[in-house]
Amino acid sequence: MSITLLGSHFDIHTGGVDHRELHHVNEIAQSQAYLGDGQPWVRYWLHNEYLQLGGEKMAKSAGGAPRLAT
């Protein structure tokens, strides 16, 4: 999806720290193999920590994310 929206190579990719060790490593390997041009797919990777609300991870999947009414 990112290659479709941002092009073959781009500067910054972000994600949660939980994706750093497994998901992003696989994503890099698959994307660079697909592109096959010997260049890094993404130049910089930024990983953020979780926000906490009431001592628990704020995530939609964990039920800890407040929702705003529309």
Side-chain angles (χ1 to χ4, degrees), residues 41-66:
W41 170 51
V42 176
R43 292 178 58 183
Y44 302 101
W45 290 79
L46 303 175
H47 296 95
N48 57 294
E49 279 291 344
Y50 297 114
L51 294 176
Q52 300 239 338
L53 180 66
E56 294 189 25
K57 175 176 119 175
M58 241 176 91
K60 189 171 51 175
S61 62

Side-chain angles (χ1 to χ4, degrees), residues 10-30:
F10 48 97
D11 291 329
I12 300 173
H13 190 299
T14 64
V17 293
D18 59 330
H19 288 157
R20 179 177 53 208
E21 303 302 325
L22 183 61
H23 174 74
H24 286 164
V25 173
N26 289 332
E27 191 176 8
I28 292 166
Q30 292 170 11

